[in-house]
Amino acid sequence: MAQSAPPAASAAPTLPFLVGRATDTLLPPGKQRRVVICGGGWGGVTAAKYLRQLAPQLEVVLLERNPVFFSCPMSNKWLVDQVDTQYLTHDYLAVAEKYAYRFLQTEILEIEREGKRVITAAGALHYDYLIVAPGIRYNYEAWFGNDRRMAEATRARFPAAYIPSAEHFHLKNALHAFKGGDLVMTLPPPPQRCPPSPYERACLIASMFKQKKIPGRIYILDHKDGARPIGPGFRSTFEELYKDIITYVPDARVEEIDPFKRRIRTEAGDFDFQHAILMAPHQAGDLAWKAGLVPRPGAGNPSGGWADVDPLFLHDRADKEVFVIGDAVGFVSPQFGFYPKAGHVANRHARIVAYYISEREAGREPDYRLPDNLCFMMVNTAPQEGISVQFDYKLNAQGIIEQTQIDYNERTAATISQDFNWAQTIYEDMFS
């Protein structure tokens, strides 16, 4: 009997125009030179706005996978209902339309530096300048090696809530459902995102326990030998306000974590817990790795795990058309190492890089600019009281960036007013 011919291969389905594949061209090259910004956090949003203001002749495209901006800064207060969700969220589309840049919600799959292309789930686009603003990733490999099951269980059950926004909702629900027992917080070793904020989080949770009379105990397991920055302010808060709730444990480097048995082994002892906030070590976000901006371990560079950039001009050392801003920036000074990985610094980096690009497009070599930083920490909710820290930077005669740190350790209500004024001013800078 003759064999019937196999059915012909079906043609690829025809997709609607706005449903793209990674192999499609997302945006063809236009008449304007193009800046592509990868990541829509504090740095990315700010960079897009300032580029449109300083270099309106450029096409600016912001790529971000989340549909709504959710702010990590101020989110500790949201966890304990000191601010509402609307306070932390902002509309990407509205600000993009206002400043005439393009916002595309899509997943970035690859960054091809040789071809100057960004590959997204919706297609590929060319860039003339690239700004990488990826935030952080959790280095669960430091705890679990290649055991993906342990890493996924840890993140799902006991999220760090230092990457917006699903983790924040999970943690908030867990905290408000907490009935009592031991809550353990592991602090990542420096450099980390917003170094004083884990202590603020512990204080605010302790304040909530105190107000609601929840019989809970919080253990802060710190890799460092003491709380810092604002160490005296936090220590006095622990001792004077939360002596029966917070136990601070220094030199508690994590040796083993079991998210199933709810047990942690550290150099300072072993801890069982009813709930935990497990903060793995931080590194530059995934996109920095995909862009080839992070040196391999052992490459002789002190930025290990972070993007290796020119300390003054924030571009890749080998490529002046690729910039990194915000938390992902690596080693910048032998005096203090890394800039604080904070929203304020990301905002300042973005403004600086927008200036650099605008000057180069105008045919001028830019002068260097340095950021500053402010961090306000609420440590009590009834009454609202806070402490703060300020960082200033200058270049010394040897060409080294120097940092001056000023801690404000006294708990005051005035600091909280300054905190909300700062947040309002910087949100307006990004979105208004």
Side-chain angles (χ1 to χ4, degrees):
M1 177 184 283
Q3 296 288 328
S4 59
S10 59
T14 301
L15 297 176
F17 175 70
L18 294 178
V19 178
R21 299 185 179 92
T23 53
D24 296 338
T25 297
L26 177 57
L27 291 177
K31 295 181 180 180
Q32 298 170 291
R33 285 165 58 79
R34 178 183 292 163
V35 183
V36 175
I37 304 169
C38 298
W42 279 54
V45 169
T46 306
K49 171 186 170 180
Y50 274 84
L51 277 165
R52 290 297 299 150
Q53 292 181 327
L54 296 174
Q57 74 275 22
L58 293 173
E59 179 189 10
V60 178
V61 182
L62 175 63
L63 305 176
E64 167 58 42
R65 63 184 175 187
N66 291 310
V68 175
F69 176 94
F70 184 97
S71 176
C72 275
M74 307 299 284
S75 65
N76 282 340
K77 302 169 183 64
W78 172 82
L79 290 173
V80 296
D81 294 333
Q82 297 300 297
V83 299
D84 60 20
T85 303
Q86 186 176 0
Y87 187 80
L88 299 181
T89 55
H90 296 271
D91 184 349
Y92 281 120
L93 293 173
V95 68
E97 184 175 26
K98 180 173 183 178
Y99 291 102
Y101 63 82
R102 301 191 70 163
F103 167 70
L104 299 175
Q105 183 197 345
T106 186
E107 187 81 24
I108 298 171
L109 304 178
E110 297 292 340
I111 296 175
E112 295 181 351
R113 296 272 297 281
E114 289 186 4
K116 300 183 74 170
R117 295 199 315 159
V118 179
I119 313 300
T120 80
L125 68 164
H126 167 84
Y127 66 82
D128 293 288
Y129 293 100
L130 182 69
I131 298 177
V132 183
I136 64 165
R137 71 181 294 271
Y138 303 128
N139 182 18
Y140 285 119
E141 294 90 338
W143 286 353
F144 305 118
N146 295 327
D147 192 333
R148 185 176 292 273
R149 174 174 172 267
M150 292 290 280
E152 290 176 347
T154 298
R155 185 167 188 174
R157 299 181 183 198
F158 310 110
Y162 271 80
I163 297 176
S165 58
E167 294 181 10
H168 287 79
F169 285 92
H170 182 108
L171 177 57
K172 182 167 184 171
N173 290 336
L175 290 175
H176 286 265
F178 191 72
K179 303 301 182 185
D182 292 342
L183 189 155
V184 171
M185 295 175 57
T186 63
L187 272 59
Q192 67 185 84
R193 171 169 274 183
C194 197
S197 65
Y199 310 120
E200 177 195 48
R201 182 177 288 181
C203 291
L204 292 178
I205 296 171
S207 182
M208 184 180 77
F209 286 178
K210 195 173 180 179
Q211 298 302 312
K212 294 186 175 182
K213 298 184 173 16
I214 296 171
R217 187 90 189 176
I218 301 168
Y219 291 85
I220 303 174
L221 308 183
D222 198 341
H223 276 245
K224 301 186 294 296
D225 58 3
R228 58 181 178 271
I230 338 177
F234 280 117
R235 286 196 299 272
S236 64
T237 299
F238 298 159
E239 296 165 2
E240 295 169 13
L241 299 184
Y242 308 119
K243 186 175 182 179
D244 297 328
I245 301 175
I246 292 178
T247 299
Y248 176 76
V249 184
D251 297 316
R253 298 171 187 83
V254 172
E255 295 180 333
E256 185 179 356
I257 289 181
D258 190 328
F260 301 103
K261 295 181 180 179
R262 302 191 181 203
R263 182 171 301 158
I264 300 174
R265 181 164 57 84
T266 79
E267 291 184 4
D270 299 346
F271 300 85
D272 295 322
F273 57 86
Q274 279 65 54
H275 193 66
I277 303 172
L278 300 180
M279 305 179 204
H282 294 173
Q283 292 181 330
D286 294 352
L287 294 179
W289 297 80
K290 290 183 177 182
L293 294 163
V294 181
R296 292 184 178 182
N301 188 287
S303 284
W306 304 94
D308 183 25
V309 300
D310 183 284
L312 296 181
F313 293 97
L314 299 175
H315 58 66
D316 178 73
R317 290 182 187 271
D319 189 344
K320 291 186 177 182
E321 294 174 341
V322 176
F323 295 86
V324 182
I325 58 176
D327 295 347
V329 169
F331 185 90
V332 294
S333 171
Q335 189 231 1
F336 60 90
F338 298 75
Y339 285 127
K341 299 185 180 301
H344 187 102
V345 173
N347 172 271
R348 295 308 192 252
H349 278 171
R351 294 164 65 167
I352 289 168
V353 166
Y355 157 74
Y356 289 158
I357 292 175
S358 69
E359 285 293 284
R360 286 174 56 183
E361 283 298 291
R364 299 184 291 264
E365 280 300 314
D367 297 325
Y368 76 86
R369 292 185 176 180
L370 299 177
D372 64 315
N373 188 39
L374 293 170
C375 290
F376 299 92
M377 299 288 121
M378 183 185 289
V379 295
N380 193 14
T381 61
Q384 288 187 342
E385 297 175 316
I387 57 180
S388 66
V389 60
Q390 174 181 336
F391 298 89
D392 296 310
Y393 298 93
K394 68 177 183 180
L395 197 68
N396 68 18
Q398 290 72 44
I400 293 172
I401 303 172
E402 292 184 345
Q403 173 181 275
T404 300
Q405 175 181 329
I406 305 171
D407 289 351
Y408 298 93
N409 294 294
E410 182 183 357
R411 296 190 303 273
T412 68
T415 302
I416 300 302
S417 296
Q418 295 169 9
D419 189 3
F420 282 98
N421 288 338
W422 165 84
Q424 183 64 30
T425 299
I426 211 159
Y427 285 152
E428 289 177 355
D429 184 61
M430 291 190 289
F431 294 103
S432 296

